[in-house]
Structure formats: structure tokens, C-alpha cells
């Protein structure tokens, strides 16, 4: 089965995107590229990267993109989210950051950004910028196992790929069972339901990206320009 590349947090950086595409050309078996949001940011002009994502070069992987937190803030500020505006960004970073974000993206890209989906469901995997609860949901290796299980079960998936924290990690929820007792007219009955092993995977951000093989469930955490896999964290 073909491998996936998962990228996020480019924030307008075309140079980093070029490095990742060069890596992927040299990597066997990677046929699908997912970009899990934060395509834009306030720190640089984002138009060149947005043009490239919409018009990929020949002989490079075509990106499948979703929106992230920064896209949500821009679209809210520019009137694509009803009466909402970029209040979260204002509270966290101030009015100057809102102006910088608006100025970083030409209005010609707004309709395309507004057309992006919240996430993808592929096989038994959910691919989302934050989580099934919210685009800004920040899942980390320190997140409660109960929170992680909630985010997985909302989508009914066994693997949830997330990018909001910008970290690279894999947390395993190692299965088990749920016992329940039901009392009705026929008496008391006991039921046991097996809970499958599930994972939450942080894919990284910017030059730090992830390769995933759905057939073997193998994950490699990589950095653009260096194809030596890094170790991942954790069990929950």
C-alpha cells in the first residue's frame, strides 16, 4: 500500500515546501501528500506558497489541503465565518498580528481557502489540524488519555493525525474492554465490549513532517533535507 506524507505549519514558507517536495521525490512509495492546515501565517507574504499549492509543478505530489487555525482566523476576519472575526488572534497576539495576517494573503486566495475542508477520513484514520472537537484543539503527549479517546471516538477512527501542537509524537491507547450491566424484565445481563488499540499522532510543523504507511502502520518522523527518521514518543 502506498505511503502518505503529512505536512503542516508551512505558514507561507515556500522554501520549506520545496525542500519537502525534493525529499519526497527521492522517497520510494509515497504517493499522497496531505497538508493539514496552517498554510498561512502573519510572518511573511504567503501568496507564492498559495499559488504553488493550487498549481503544483509537474512531477511533484499534488497536495491535498485542509484549513488550520491561521486560515480560520483569516477567514473569520475577512467575513467568511458569518459575524465572527479573528477574536482569538486579537486576544493572544494583538491587533498588529491581525493586520499582518490580512496583509500576508491576497484576496484572490480567499475563496480557495474558504473551500478547504475541516479534515479528511482515510481508511481508519482521521486527518485534522487540531482535533474532531475544534481546529484549535491542542493535543500533546501530555494530553489526558480520556481526552484522546474522546477525540478518536467522535470520528470513529483508530488513528488520529493532528498538527496543532507542532510536535511529532505517537501516543498509543493500548486497548482493553468496557464492561456494562443492563437490568431489564428478564433480569440482569452483563456485556463486554472490546476496545481496539488506537493512536494519536502529532505530525510536526514547518520542516518537520511525517511519513505513514497504512499497510504496516509504520510511522517515520522526518526533517526536510535530512531523511533520517527521529524517534517518537509515548504510550497512554
Amino acid at each position: 500500500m502506498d505511503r502518505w506524507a503529512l505536512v503542516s505549519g508551512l505558514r507561507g514558507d515556500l522554501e520549506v515546501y520545496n525542500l519537502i517536495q525534493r525529499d519526497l521525490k527521492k522517497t520510494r512509495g509515497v504517493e499522497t501528500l496531505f497538508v493539514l492546515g496552517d498554510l498561512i501565517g502573519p510572518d511573511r507574504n504567503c501568496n507564492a506558497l498559495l499559488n504553488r499549492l493550487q498549481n503544483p509543478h509537474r512531477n511533484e505530489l499534488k497536495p491535498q489541503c485542509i484549513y488550520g487555525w491561521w486560515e480560520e482566523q483569516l477567514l473569520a476576519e475577512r467575513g467568511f465565518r458569518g459575524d465572527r472575526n479573528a477574536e482569538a488572534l486579537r486576544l493572544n497576539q494583538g491587533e498588529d498580528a491581525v493586520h499582518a495576517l490580512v496583509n500576508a494573503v491576497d484576496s484572490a486566495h480567499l475563496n480557495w481557502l474558504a473551500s478547504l475542508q475541516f479534515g479528511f477520513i482515510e481508511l481508519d484514520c482521521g486527518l485534522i489540524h487540531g482535533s474532531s472537537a475544534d481546529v484549535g484543539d491542542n493535543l500533546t503527549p501530555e494530553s489526558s488519555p480520556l481526552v484522546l479517546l474522546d477525540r478518536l471516538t467522535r470520528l470513529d477512527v483508530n488513528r488520529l493525525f493532528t498538527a496543532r501542537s507542532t510536535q511529532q509524537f505517537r501516543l498509543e491507547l493500548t486497548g482493553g474492554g468496557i464492561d456494562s450491566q443492563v437490568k431489564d424484565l428478564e433480569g440482569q445481563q452483563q456485556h463486554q465490549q472490546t476496545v481496539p488499540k488506537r493512536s494519536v499522532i502529532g505530525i510536526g510543523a514547518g520542516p518537520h513532517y511525517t511519513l505513514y504507511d497504512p499497510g504496516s502502520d509504520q510511522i517515520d518522523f522526518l526533517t526536510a533535507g535530512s531523511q533520517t527518521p527521529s524517534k517518537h514518543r509515548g504510550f497512554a
Side-chain angles (χ1 to χ4, degrees):
M1 186 176 289
D2 296 331
R3 289 195 286 173
W4 305 343
L6 301 112
V7 176
S8 185
L10 295 169
R11 295 178 62 168
D13 197 330
L14 181 58
E15 182 177 348
V16 166
Y17 184 68
N18 282 330
L19 285 174
I20 293 172
Q21 283 283 5
R22 277 201 285 270
D23 280 0
L24 298 180
K25 286 180 181 178
K26 297 182 288 186
T27 305
R28 294 180 59 186
V30 178
E31 298 292 337
T32 306
L33 170 60
F34 294 106
V35 183
L36 303 189
D38 281 2
L39 322 173
I40 64 172
D43 303 321
R44 59 177 60 83
N45 187 296
C46 301
N47 295 310
L49 175 66
L50 293 174
N51 283 326
R52 178 70 166 281
L53 293 172
Q54 295 169 77
N55 303 284
H57 290 175
R58 292 183 61 187
N59 302 319
E60 73 177 15
L61 289 178
K62 180 180 179 180
Q64 299 186 47
C65 304
I66 62 174
Y67 69 85
W69 188 82
W70 284 104
E71 288 78 42
E72 180 74 357
Q73 296 304 302
L74 176 67
L75 292 169
E77 186 67 19
R78 295 300 297 268
F80 284 80
R81 295 292 191 259
D83 294 333
R84 295 166 50 197
N85 55 29
E87 196 60 33
L89 179 56
R90 277 191 176 84
L91 289 173
N92 291 331
Q93 300 187 32
E95 195 69 38
D96 288 346
V98 176
H99 288 313
L101 179 63
V102 169
N103 292 331
V105 179
D106 191 272
S107 59
H109 298 296
L110 294 178
N111 285 332
W112 179 74
L113 290 172
S115 74
L116 299 180
Q117 298 181 53
F118 178 75
F120 299 124
I121 302 293
E122 300 287 334
L123 303 176
D124 66 343
C125 303
L127 292 78
I128 293 181
H129 177 73
S131 81
S132 49
D134 188 80
V135 70
D137 199 12
N138 189 28
L139 302 181
T140 73
E142 288 71 42
S143 295
S144 161
L146 292 177
V147 170
L148 301 177
L149 184 59
D150 171 75
R151 303 310 189 249
L152 285 157
T153 53
R154 284 171 183 248
L155 292 176
D156 193 24
V157 295
N158 291 326
R159 288 157 190 81
L160 175 62
F161 292 86
T162 178
R164 177 68 184 147
S165 74
T166 75
Q167 299 180 59
Q168 290 178 311
F169 62 87
R170 178 170 188 163
L171 296 173
E172 301 279 4
L173 282 78
T174 54
I178 299 174
D179 293 321
S180 61
Q181 291 184 342
V182 178
K183 189 173 183 179
D184 56 22
L185 295 177
E186 297 181 0
Q188 187 165 289
Q189 303 178 38
Q190 186 165 340
H191 301 276
Q192 185 174 61
Q193 178 181 355
T194 300
V195 178
K197 186 173 84 170
R198 293 175 167 178
S199 304
V200 175
I201 300 101
I203 69 165
H208 306 292
Y209 66 99
T210 295
L211 298 182
Y212 178 63
D213 185 337
S216 65
D217 198 32
Q218 174 68 36
I219 288 177
D220 291 318
F221 295 128
L222 299 168
T223 300
S226 173
Q227 292 191 303
T228 302
S230 59
K231 294 181 180 179
H232 64 258
R233 298 176 62 177
F235 292 86

